[in-house]
Amino acid sequence: GLLIRVEDFATDEILTQMGIESPFDLMGLYHGLSLDRKSVADVVQQPDMVFLYRRPILDYWSEGEETLGQLVTHVLVHEIGHHFGFSDDDMEDIEAGAMT
């Protein structure tokens, strides 16, 4: 039950809520309630979603040394980690395993 969407940029509303000035500063976002905080009795209002923001990802990739696949993996693993309720340390370990 996790949708992955690709959008050009985050909406102005999302950027404002997160205090982000440039739409190029957000490459991905998890929207939903993490699995560790859900109950089987919860009424689902909308599906959990991971957003990948295409233009910021491409911009970051064009200026860096990572391959596009490595960068997308990094962003996707990080956002899916939020879905499962993983800490940043947990996600770094998962990402390190995915990159090898």
Side-chain angles (χ1 to χ4, degrees), residues 1-98:
L2 178 65
L3 297 176
I4 299 172
R5 293 185 55 172
V6 177
E7 306 274 339
D8 279 342
F9 291 104
T11 64
D12 290 339
E13 180 182 355
I14 294 289
L15 296 171
T16 299
Q17 286 176 358
M18 297 183 73
I20 298 173
E21 292 183 23
S22 171
F24 285 96
D25 289 340
L26 185 62
M27 292 187 285
L29 179 69
Y30 169 68
H31 184 268
L33 186 62
S34 62
L35 293 179
D36 65 326
R37 297 177 52 204
K38 283 188 180 181
S39 166
V40 293
D42 287 341
V43 177
V44 176
Q45 300 292 328
Q46 59 183 353
D48 292 347
M49 288 187 259
V50 166
F51 291 88
L52 298 177
Y53 299 117
R54 186 180 67 84
R55 296 279 310 278
I57 288 172
L58 291 174
D59 189 65
Y60 186 90
W61 168 66
S62 71
E63 295 174 2
E65 296 182 15
E66 290 179 272
T67 67
L68 184 57
Q70 288 171 325
L71 181 56
V72 170
T73 298
H74 170 83
V75 176
L76 194 56
V77 166
H78 185 89
E79 301 310 331
I80 291 173
H82 287 305
H83 172 66
F84 285 103
F86 293 151
S87 71
D88 285 339
D89 288 340
D90 293 336
M91 289 187 281
E92 285 179 20
D93 291 343
I94 292 168
E95 182 181 79

